[in-house]
Amino acid sequence: MTENTKIDFIYLSEPDMIKAGVTDMPSCVDTMEEMFGLLYTGDYRMAGPNNDSHGAMITFPDESAFPTMPKPTADRRLMAMPAYLGGNFQTSGVKWYGSNIANREKGLPRSILMMILNDIDTGAPLAYMSANLLSAYRTGAIPGVGARYLARKDSKVIGLLGPGVMGKTTVAAFITACPKVDTIKVKGRGQKNLDSFIDWVKETFPQVTTIEIVDSVEAVVRDSDLVSYCNSGEVGDPTTYPIVKREWVKPGAFLAMPASCSLDDGMEQKDVRKVLDNTGLYEAWYEEVPKPAHCVIPLVGVRCMDMIAEGKLTHDDIEDLGKIVSGDSPARENEEEIIILSVGGMPVEDVAWATVVYRNAIEKGIGVKLNLWDVPVLR
């Protein structure tokens, strides 16, 4: 029997990814919902000893003997995020994450991302793909999955802090889950981002009849049915993170937080339901970083881990989105409860959405076929 050792894979540029459906938010929300079911049953693997690690990151010292070594400037990240996902996906992959907030001064995105998708049997590459849109849409889709189960069905008003890429995809996912949305209140740093956001909303969601620019975080939250903080900024001092105060929050509101956020005493109380996208992810983070962990990782879920250590919460007070999606834990139980979801971002999400987009590309003949080898020189 003749061995077939030839390996080809496809390269998908950002335009190719768009043609293959990477910006199809309803499909992305469906895919993330399916992924959460696998997460809950355990048919996945990520890095680290508990298989739940966010990834492996290169860090840089404040002072180095080497003048060319990068400084640890704001949002300076070089990170590998590997995962395997079972079920109907049966793929593995890794997202390589390069980020520096100073990129904006060069007209570049804060993060520049690439994804490699692999065959789980041989480890051979299936695709090498541009991943900025992939990552943005899978991140935004998680609040959409949360809203399907945890938001009021009559939600009409979105309050958004941060009208950038993450803000746009979160709004798209909210509207996918709550199609009655007709109003968005938004706070941003600069007029350019606000103008871009407003133009995008008008073009993409004509059912949104009111877009209000507000000048405070309080105004973002008050009277909003759906709230999300999608801001970026310095990490280290939780008193500088944008806060959510209980007195601002409308009864029945659903808050999805994929960025830095702090909670006041009222929001930290146990009658506010606290849901994590994957409890194991936050437990892995908590083991990996100095304490209090919220000083290092500014997410609500990490604050919950600190609160457990402080005796303010127990593990029973924390809910898992996968368990809710799978039906083993209740979704929204009444019209008055306040629910907050922490969105941490996981490489299994990248693998899930990359697999769907890759399969679309193969079916439609999109991408550039590249050859790794016909016969390997060393084997």
Side-chain angles (χ1 to χ4, degrees), residues 36 39-40 276-277 319-330:
F36 274 114
L39 206 64
Y40 178 57
L276 310 184
D277 47 357
E319 303 182 58
D320 191 90
L321 184 57
K323 190 173 183 179
I324 293 169
V325 167
S326 298
D328 284 351
S329 192

Side-chain angles (χ1 to χ4, degrees), residues 88-238:
N88 294 321
F89 299 94
Q90 294 296 317
T91 46
S92 60
V94 60
K95 182 173 73 178
W96 178 247
Y97 192 124
S99 183
N100 185 357
I101 205 167
N103 282 355
R104 291 171 175 167
E105 299 167 9
K106 303 174 182 178
L108 294 170
R110 174 179 61 85
S111 304
I112 300 174
L113 313 174
M114 297 299 297
M115 180 82 190
I116 185 166
L117 196 66
N118 297 86
D119 180 271
I120 58 171
D121 180 34
T122 65
L126 300 171
Y128 185 55
M129 55 181 70
S130 169
N132 275 50
L133 290 173
L134 178 91
S135 188
Y137 273 77
R138 65 78 155 159
T139 301
I142 305 307
V145 176
R148 278 184 174 174
Y149 291 84
L150 302 171
R152 287 177 54 140
K153 301 307 177 190
D154 60 354
S155 296
K156 292 185 176 182
V157 181
I158 294 173
L160 175 67
L161 175 64
V165 171
M166 194 186 302
K168 290 175 181 175
T169 57
T170 297
V171 164
F174 274 161
I175 294 176
T176 296
C178 301
K180 293 183 179 180
V181 166
D182 60 14
T183 300
I184 300 175
K185 296 183 298 173
V186 58
K187 181 182 185 304
R189 286 199 188 113
Q191 195 61 44
K192 183 178 178 182
N193 268 2
L194 286 166
D195 290 343
S196 171
F197 176 80
I198 291 168
D199 290 344
W200 172 80
V201 172
K202 288 179 177 178
E203 180 179 348
T204 312
F205 299 108
Q207 68 268 39
V208 175
T209 55
T210 303
I211 305 172
E212 180 185 355
I213 297 173
V214 298
D215 59 5
S216 70
V217 177
E218 178 179 351
V220 165
V221 177
R222 279 199 184 273
D223 301 317
S224 295
D225 303 304
L226 304 161
V227 176
S228 189
Y229 289 2
C230 299
N231 51 290
S232 60
E234 297 277 357
V235 173
D237 180 2

